[in-house]
Amino acid sequence: MELLHPWRLDFQQPAPLRSTPVVSLVLPCFNEQEVLPETTRRLVALLARLEAEGVAAPGSAIYYVDDGSSDATWRLVADYAATLPAVCGIKLSRNRGHQNALLCGLMTAPGDVLVSLDADLQDDVEAIPKMLAAWRDGNEIVYAVRSRRDADGFLKRVTAEGYYRLLACLGVQVLFNHADFRLMSRRAIESLRAYEETHLFLRGLVPQLGYRTAVVEFARAARFAGTSKYPLRKMLALAWQGITSFTAYPLRLITGVGALVSLASLLMSAWALGIRLFTDHAMPGWASVVIPMYLLGGIQLLSLGVIGEYLAKVYESTKKRPRFHVEAVVGQAFGAEGA
């Protein structure tokens, strides 16, 4: 299975003319007090430049989504919103995870064009003008894809790239080396609103929308300040989420493994019977009993675990619980002064 290949920027095709859009930058935040001042400075300057160049319309703004931070993140966001017209804040009632916080921002922020990116400045903000140029060419979704991963360690780079290839082999439509740095038009956002996924994996869900897309490449930088909020445990959880949310391949794999084990058991039985009937080398021992027992027991437990994971997803989906609750909003776009 090949990776999803959307329209490239160098593919020239007539596109409809579009007016200057109101641009909303959506940034999920979790304990980002160290990097937030620099992020705000760069993004405010970027929006001012885009408005001066006529690329973005007045009213374009930054929307920070505080995902239940335990540090001073929300206080900083509220202070910026009170003094900077281009900054708004959305506070979740508790930590709901990066994907839910990002979805909250996308579903809440106004604007003709929404750009989602991380707050740690690893996503190159200078790629945003290129993404807007691709939108003006008629693309509804523009993916920002890493051209290289020099800022990542060897292990993270190898495992991440291997994971993208694994998803593609399993039939999941993903862009290689794309995370959540993307532009979406209002039309695409409203289409995404119709999806009521309980277990979110947006980098696999957005390609399901099917609109015309483009790709912009950027060099991912090292984190400006603070520490990563995605340790190995969360990365593995997100990886498993992507697999189990978009493919039933693990369930089919269980069927294949079961068939192979059954075939191997029949062959071993035939071999043991042949030794017993036609030779004098049959030697009773514990290995012939214990090894197959542990092998089959392990496969059965693994199979039950995979099946249980899918059943748990069905169970949680049927409850239809809200994916997030907004506790407070600040900023002129919401008509709120603080919270």
Side-chain angles (χ1 to χ4, degrees), residues 31-52:
N31 294 342
E32 297 288 5
Q33 64 178 11
E34 291 98 341
V35 74
L36 212 57
E38 179 64 17
T39 302
T40 302
R41 185 189 68 80
R42 293 190 191 183
L43 293 180
V44 168
L46 174 67
L47 286 181
R49 193 181 82 212
L50 293 178
E51 291 185 18

Side-chain angles (χ1 to χ4, degrees), residues 62-226:
I62 306 160
Y63 294 84
Y64 290 120
V65 184
D66 180 26
D67 186 23
S69 299
S70 58
D71 63 0
T73 295
W74 179 247
R75 180 179 59 78
L76 288 173
V77 170
D79 290 345
Y80 293 141
T83 57
L84 299 172
V87 177
C88 299
I90 304 168
K91 179 176 174 58
L92 300 188
S93 60
R94 58 179 289 263
N95 179 262
R96 297 297 300 172
H98 177 273
Q99 297 290 284
N100 282 310
L102 176 55
L103 182 72
C104 173
L106 295 176
M107 297 296 102
T108 306
D112 305 309
V113 168
L114 281 75
V115 179
S116 60
L117 67 160
D118 290 337
D120 55 14
L121 292 178
Q122 288 191 275
D123 296 333
D124 184 9
V125 299
E126 292 303 322
I128 294 175
K130 301 176 184 177
M131 299 166 77
L132 290 171
W135 174 81
R136 289 194 300 273
D137 286 341
N139 297 288
E140 301 291 340
I141 302 171
V142 183
Y143 299 102
V145 175
R146 304 171 182 126
S147 59
R148 60 181 187 273
R149 305 184 69 115
D150 297 342
D152 294 338
F154 175 78
L155 180 61
K156 183 175 182 179
R157 181 169 63 253
V158 171
T159 54
E161 292 180 349
Y163 173 63
Y164 284 111
R165 292 188 174 94
L166 174 62
L167 284 178
C169 291
L170 296 180
V172 182
Q173 286 189 321
V174 291
L175 257 68
F176 187 73
N177 270 339
H178 166 70
D180 289 301
F181 188 15
R182 70 178 72 87
L183 176 150
M184 298 181 70
S185 68
R186 175 52 58 184
R187 179 186 183 190
I189 291 294
E190 294 306 315
S191 297
L192 181 64
R193 195 184 298 275
Y195 288 76
E196 299 181 353
E197 306 276 331
T198 301
H199 301 276
L200 286 174
F201 185 66
L202 289 173
R203 66 191 70 178
L205 189 60
V206 172
Q208 303 291 319
L209 300 180
Y211 295 118
R212 184 183 174 190
T213 61
V215 166
V216 168
E217 293 186 345
F218 74 100
R220 187 168 174 83
R223 175 179 259 275
F224 180 82

Side-chain angles (χ1 to χ4, degrees), residues 20-36:
T20 303
V22 174
V23 178
S24 297
L25 307 180
V26 178
L27 296 87
C29 302
F30 179 67
N31 294 342
E32 297 288 5
Q33 64 178 11
E34 291 98 341
V35 74
L36 212 57

